[in-house]
């Protein structure tokens, strides 16, 4: 047994068996974080570097804790405090890290394909923690794990993703992964936020949240990235909120036991109403808990065991 | 490949019963005892042992499962299997007499890892080791307190305790045809 991959760069290069293997491994890691002694010695002597060229709290903390709970030495490098500000290229940064013999590098970069580029040039494992608009595989894996926890299965479920599909790597990775395991995926957003040709990924496109939510088992709300919108994609936040937010009116169109998800950080009152985010249907915090377990599993499988 | 059945269902039941009596005798009763099976091989044996102790003493002992994979020393060299199983110990081990149960005692490395893993759940008063088969070839200074059968084997052979839910229990030695 073992993963067929050496790096985790995207979800489409994972086989269904690999996906289930990662999820099953993560399931067994969940209880370590609930013990009095939240640490196992598995990755003792291994070095994991978090290389983040974009701001992140949740993902970086999650990876850092994951490494620490497995006894790996983890260090964080953020672009603002590194030689990147002095003009060093990505390849030079990677080669310098390689000279210090890390076992895995967790990388977030603003350029799509950065992780693939890195993986071609280094001898350690690369884990993609988000590259541009392209992929955020650990988020998709933790979302699938959470869906499986709530519903007992993923096959045949109707999942609706609402928000800026065009620029969301979370949406892309989830579309690929959830389709792979047999979900029926729909996306919903203003037309300006739907990329051309998205139907080719096998998703249904809706421009009206009521149609999109009809019969949904799971709804995934994406954050409206206020900092990236200069008001070009919709007239005002209030208008977006009025037509595309999940609130006690719109949620009625979904199944009664719909599972509400959000990759965080949430904008209360913009894409999701506070009472929904805090309701019993919401699994936003269990997603974070599962994220830690997924990242522990990946570090264990990619940096721990052998790679034939 | 040749298969050789050494023990059948009746023999196995007698051995488990004797081991249960030994455990009770050695601890002068079952006060403070807990049974922990090492995943996966020890799970079923652990349940059988609990049932057997319950028949003798009338009380069911607390039962837990420990997976030692994350504590193994061979995880990096690639000889360990990477499959991690559930650990399920729903009680504190603080001050308890832990009976650690596995099907086969071989190099002793699994037991070493399992003992390390146990320490995360409290400080037991004692850890005693019960194995159904001791096949020799120890690589660490570890011995069992309760042994079902001493069965000397060659390194290349495989020996397994098969406890079937349908009651078709047996101990099988598998030899390589060239061995």
């Amino acid at each position: 047994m073992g993963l067929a991959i050496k790096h985790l760069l995207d979800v489409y290069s994972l086989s269904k068996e690999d996906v289930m293997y990662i999820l099953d491994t993560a399931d067994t890691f969940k209880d370590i974080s609930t013990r009095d002694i939240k640490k196992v010695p598995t990755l003792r002597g291994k070095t994991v570097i978090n290389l983040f060229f974009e701001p992140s709290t949740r993902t970086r903390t999650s990876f850092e804790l994951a490494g620490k709970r497995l006894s790996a030495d983890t260090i964080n490098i953020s672009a603002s405090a590194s030689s990147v500000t002095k003009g060093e290229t990505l390849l030079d940064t990677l080669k310098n890290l390689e000279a210090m013999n890390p076992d895995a590098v967790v990388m977030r970069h603003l350029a799509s394909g950065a992780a693939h580029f890195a993986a071609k040039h280094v001898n350690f494992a690369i884990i993609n923690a988000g590259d541009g608009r392209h992929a955020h595989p650990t988020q998709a894996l933790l979302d699938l794990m959470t869906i499986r926890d709530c519903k007992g299965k993923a096959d045949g479920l109707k999942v609706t993703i609402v928000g800026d599909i065009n620029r969301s790597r979370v949406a892309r990775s989830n579309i690929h992964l959830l389709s792979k395991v047999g979900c029926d995926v729909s996306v919903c957003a203003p037309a300006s936020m739907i990329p051309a040709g998205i139907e080719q990924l096998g998703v249904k496109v809706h421009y009206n949240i009521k149609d999109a939510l009809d019969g949904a088992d799971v709804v995934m709300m994406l954050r409206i990235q206020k900092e990236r919108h200069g008001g070009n994609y919709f007239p005002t936040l209030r208008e977006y909120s009025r037509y595309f937010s999940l609130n006690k009116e719109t949620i009625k169109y979904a199944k009664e036991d719909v599972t509400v998800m959000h990759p965080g950080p949430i904008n209360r009152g913009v894409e999701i109403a506070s009472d929904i985010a805090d309701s019993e249907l919401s699994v936003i915090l269990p997603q974070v808990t599962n994220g830690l377990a997924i990242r522990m599993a990946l570090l264990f499988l990619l940096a721990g065991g052998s790679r034939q | 490949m040749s298969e050789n059945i050494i023990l059948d269902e009746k023999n196995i039941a007698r051995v488990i019963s004797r081991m249960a009596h030994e455990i009770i005798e050695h601890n002068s009763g079952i006060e403070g005892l807990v049974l922990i099976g090492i995943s996966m091989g020890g799970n079923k044996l652990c349940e059988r042992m609990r049932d057997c102790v319950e028949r003798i003493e009338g009380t069911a002992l607390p039962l837990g499962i420990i997976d030692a994979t994350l504590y193994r020393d061979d995880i990096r060299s690639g000889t360990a299997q990477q499959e991690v199983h559930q650990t399920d110990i729903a009680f504190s081990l603080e001050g308890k007499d832990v009976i650690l149960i596995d099907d086969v005692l071989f190099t002793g490395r699994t037991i070493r890892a399992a003992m390390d893993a146990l320490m995360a759940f409290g400080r037991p008063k004692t850890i005693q080791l019960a194995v159904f088969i001791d096949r020799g070839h120890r690589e660490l200074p570890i011995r069992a307190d309760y042994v079902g059968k001493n069965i000397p084997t060659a390194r290349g052979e495989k020996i397994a305790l098969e406890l079937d839910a349908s009651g078709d229990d047996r101990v099988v030695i598998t030899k390589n045809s060239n061995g």
Side-chain angles (χ1 to χ4, degrees):
Chain A
M1 237 358 227
L3 281 183
I5 50 164
K6 194 180 163 204
H7 310 279
L8 180 74
L9 305 176
D10 50 54
V11 287
Y12 38 84
S13 44
L14 289 172
S15 68
K16 213 169 157 182
E17 290 71 38
D18 277 348
V19 172
M20 292 308 151
Y21 183 38
I22 294 169
L23 262 57
D24 290 343
T25 306
D27 269 337
T28 66
F29 279 117
K30 257 178 104 168
D31 96 297
I32 293 172
S33 297
T34 64
R35 296 179 193 167
D36 287 345
I37 298 172
K38 300 179 185 61
K39 205 176 181 76
V40 292
T42 317
L43 293 187
R44 193 170 56 196
K46 300 280 182 181
T47 307
V48 177
I49 298 176
N50 289 329
L51 183 60
F52 278 64
F53 293 94
E54 269 191 342
S56 161
T57 313
R58 196 178 332 264
T59 309
R60 206 203 64 214
T61 310
S62 184
F63 267 112
E64 188 178 356
L65 269 181
K68 289 196 152 105
R69 292 204 172 151
L70 293 170
S71 299
D73 296 308
T74 59
I75 60 162
N76 296 316
I77 303 174
S78 56
S80 56
S82 73
S83 298
V84 176
T85 54
K86 299 176 189 166
E88 190 174 62
T89 65
L90 175 59
L91 184 57
D92 283 333
T93 304
L94 289 165
K95 283 294 172 191
N96 275 276
L97 293 179
E98 189 174 40
M100 293 183 264
N101 284 315
D103 298 283
V105 168
V106 177
M107 196 170 120
R108 168 169 289 189
H109 200 280
L110 39 120
S112 304
H116 285 75
F117 168 80
K120 277 187 205 143
H121 293 98
V122 296
N123 62 10
F124 44 78
I126 293 279
I127 299 177
N128 187 359
D131 59 331
R133 299 180 184 193
H134 172 234
H136 192 352
T138 60
Q139 179 71 42
L141 286 164
L142 77 89
D143 287 339
L144 176 59
M145 182 179 175
T146 311
I147 292 173
R148 206 174 69 160
D149 282 357
C150 294
K151 306 288 190 193
K153 55 156 193 168
D155 188 26
L157 293 182
K158 187 179 174 198
V159 182
T160 303
I161 307 176
V162 185
D164 188 354
I165 309 299
N166 190 23
R167 284 176 299 170
S168 170
R169 55 194 173 214
V170 176
R172 266 178 200 74
S173 282
N174 264 310
I175 290 169
H176 283 293
L177 187 65
L178 295 176
S179 305
K180 192 191 290 276
V181 298
C183 291
D184 172 16
V185 184
S186 301
V187 297
C188 174
S192 55
M193 292 175 153
I194 299 281
I198 189 83
E199 298 87 352
Q200 287 168 20
L201 296 180
V203 300
K204 293 185 197 72
V205 178
H206 296 279
Y207 301 101
N208 179 324
I209 194 166
K210 291 169 187 170
D211 296 341
L213 287 179
D214 185 37
D217 295 287
V218 176
V219 54
M220 233 174 242
M221 303 305 297
L222 301 177
R223 184 173 70 98
I224 286 303
Q225 307 183 10
K226 287 188 208 162
E227 74 278 11
R228 294 188 194 178
H229 292 287
N232 296 330
Y233 291 88
F234 47 78
T236 63
L237 271 181
R238 230 177 111 189
E239 182 174 326
Y240 179 85
S241 174
R242 184 151 162 198
Y243 289 105
F244 291 96
S245 84
L246 188 67
N247 53 42
K248 56 179 185 284
E249 290 306 315
T250 49
I251 202 170
K252 285 180 189 159
Y253 293 90
K255 283 200 181 147
E256 206 172 325
D257 64 342
V258 64
T259 298
V260 176
M261 304 176 74
H262 193 303
I266 63 175
N267 290 319
R268 288 175 181 272
V270 180
E271 70 270 1
I272 186 165
S274 259
D275 50 352
I276 301 295
D278 301 330
S279 73
E280 281 174 7
L281 297 172
S282 157
V283 292
I284 296 172
L285 296 177
Q287 282 178 274
V288 178
T289 307
N290 283 345
L292 180 54
I294 283 284
R295 283 156 189 142
M296 285 172 79
L298 285 166
L299 287 177
F300 169 66
L301 294 171
L302 292 173
S306 62
R307 289 199 295 270
Q308 272 83 22
Chain B
M1 299 276 276
S2 69
E3 272 196 358
N4 199 357
I5 300 172
I6 322 179
L7 293 176
D8 62 13
E9 194 183 329
K10 273 192 174 157
N11 289 320
I12 290 172
R14 276 187 212 117
V15 171
I16 293 177
S17 170
R18 192 199 79 234
M19 291 174 74
H21 277 102
E22 282 178 3
I23 290 169
I24 298 165
E25 183 192 2
H26 184 261
N27 291 283
S28 313
I30 57 168
E31 183 78 29
L33 282 189
V34 298
L35 304 177
I36 305 284
I38 299 179
S39 199
M40 299 287 292
N43 294 357
K44 280 185 181 163
L45 178 59
C46 195
E47 286 168 18
R48 294 284 177 94
M49 193 66 81
R50 179 194 55 186
D51 296 347
C52 203
V53 171
E54 190 178 359
R55 274 198 296 276
I56 302 164
E57 292 285 319
T59 312
L61 290 174
L63 188 143
I65 299 166
I66 192 117
D67 180 68
T69 312
L70 298 174
Y71 291 79
R72 292 193 70 94
D73 52 23
D74 47 6
I75 205 142
R76 257 149 289 189
S77 60
T79 45
Q81 57 172 24
Q82 279 195 13
E83 201 99 11
V84 188
H85 300 285
Q86 209 75 42
T87 287
D88 181 12
I89 301 178
F91 42 85
S92 167
L93 299 181
E94 199 72 31
K96 299 282 190 210
D97 292 303
V98 174
I99 311 293
L100 192 58
I101 297 175
D102 204 359
D103 53 352
V104 180
L105 179 56
F106 185 25
T107 61
R109 288 181 191 268
T110 305
I111 307 299
R112 202 276 312 152
M115 284 195 290
D116 268 358
L118 278 182
M119 296 305 174
F121 294 88
R123 180 179 184 271
K125 190 164 134 221
T126 62
I127 298 178
Q128 302 162 33
L129 178 61
V131 297
F132 193 88
I133 298 158
D134 183 347
R135 61 171 291 189
H137 304 285
R138 213 79 74 242
E139 293 169 4
L140 296 173
I142 279 173
R143 58 155 187 83
D145 300 273
Y146 313 99
V147 179
K149 284 277 173 194
N150 280 297
I151 303 175
T153 54
R155 263 187 175 275
E157 288 172 331
K158 279 191 176 151
I159 186 159
L161 167 66
E162 297 176 0
L163 295 178
D164 205 299
S166 60
D168 194 18
D169 306 339
R170 54 190 203 153
V171 171
V172 192
I173 289 194
T174 314
K175 285 185 173 71
N176 290 327
S177 48
N178 56 355

